[in-house]
Amino acid sequence: MAAVSSRKTAVLPQLDTAPGYKRVAKLIEAEIVAGRLKEGDLLPTEGDLADQLGVHRSTIREGIRSLENSGLVRRAGGKRLMVATPDASSIAMSNIRALGLKQVSFNELWEAQMELEPFCAKLAATRMTEDIEAALVRNVDRLRSNLDNDDVVIESDIEFHRLIAAASGNAVVALVAAPIGVLLFSATVQLYQTVAAARHRLLAAHEKILEGLIARDAAMAETWMRRHILDFKRGYEIAGFDFNAPIQLEARAFASFS
């Protein structure tokens, strides 16, 4: 009887069975992420790409469409494609949709907001530009003049927090913070309709936060932001809302963000 070999059986890598257009998109995306293709670089024509990669032009076309949807390429002059960097709003909108589909609760978003917003305010107090300061002043003035208008109150609230995140000077913080305010849109609508004093407390908090920012007083800005976020949850408690119920994302939330 022949002896059984003691050598190990070779394990081969798995075949990539993804559709051709996905493999095309993945390959080009890898080149962009690695920095070998840089923002502003022109991609080869569809025909040249098809020849280089050994696939049909229709496969290239579908792969390019996927990259365009991701914001990694865009049309330049004529039909040429150029490497691009996704803008912050596109990234935020993708995160908003994903979190909405995950059916995140008010409590989950509030916990994240409680950690993130005071930190944003602290950074913004020392990094805020004159342009953002002016935008925040206009924002609070508009809120003060339109306290009876639910749409303006909500839009102003979302913009106020977005401006402070931008003023932090930290792109990561701004990208993480953006979806939170928009996802809390529906909860905010219900709050202002149920608790009459909520909008007045909102204005008072925004005025104190802005005061701290203008004075470049990081401790004051951070403290009042923390009080503001805590007060938000207290309003939710007074209204009797369920902290753990999924937040229903409505169309107006996207409109307020764009």
Side-chain angles (χ1 to χ4, degrees), residues 153-168:
V153 169
I154 294 163
E155 289 168 9
S156 297
D157 188 23
I158 292 173
E159 183 190 44
F160 182 82
H161 289 275
R162 188 162 69 241
L163 285 168
I164 291 176
S168 74

Side-chain angles (χ1 to χ4, degrees), residues 87-93 95-96 116-117 119-121 123-124 127 132 158-182 257:
D87 60 86
S89 61
S90 298
I91 296 170
M93 289 304 289
N95 291 336
I96 290 165
L116 192 60
E117 297 282 3
F119 179 60
C120 282
L123 293 181
R127 300 178 179 180
I132 293 183
I158 292 173
E159 183 190 44
F160 182 82
H161 289 275
R162 188 162 69 241
L163 285 168
I164 291 176
S168 74
N170 186 312
V172 174
V173 167
L175 283 173
V176 172
I180 295 175
V182 179
F257 182 73

Side-chain angles (χ1 to χ4, degrees), residues 113-224:
Q113 191 180 36
M114 189 62 195
E115 293 300 319
L116 192 60
E117 297 282 3
F119 179 60
C120 282
K122 178 182 177 180
L123 293 181
T126 58
R127 300 178 179 180
M128 182 173 63
T129 64
E130 291 183 0
D131 287 345
I132 293 183
E133 179 179 329
L136 282 166
V137 170
R138 290 193 299 270
N139 174 280
V140 173
D141 286 344
R142 183 176 183 235
L143 173 61
R144 190 183 298 112
S145 301
N146 293 275
L147 268 185
D148 294 328
N149 185 322
D150 284 355
D151 287 340
V152 173
V153 169
I154 294 163
E155 289 168 9
S156 297
D157 188 23
I158 292 173
E159 183 190 44
F160 182 82
H161 289 275
R162 188 162 69 241
L163 285 168
I164 291 176
S168 74
N170 186 312
V172 174
V173 167
L175 283 173
V176 172
I180 295 175
V182 179
L183 282 163
L184 288 170
F185 180 95
S186 298
T188 306
V189 171
Q190 296 171 19
L191 178 62
Y192 295 136
Q193 291 174 350
T194 307
V195 182
R199 65 190 68 223
H200 297 281
R201 295 181 68 85
L202 173 78
L203 173 60
H206 283 198
E207 288 175 333
K208 296 303 288 187
I209 293 165
L210 179 58
E211 181 183 337
L213 292 173
I214 291 174
R216 301 300 190 265
D217 188 333
M220 180 181 179
E222 181 183 21
T223 297
W224 271 99

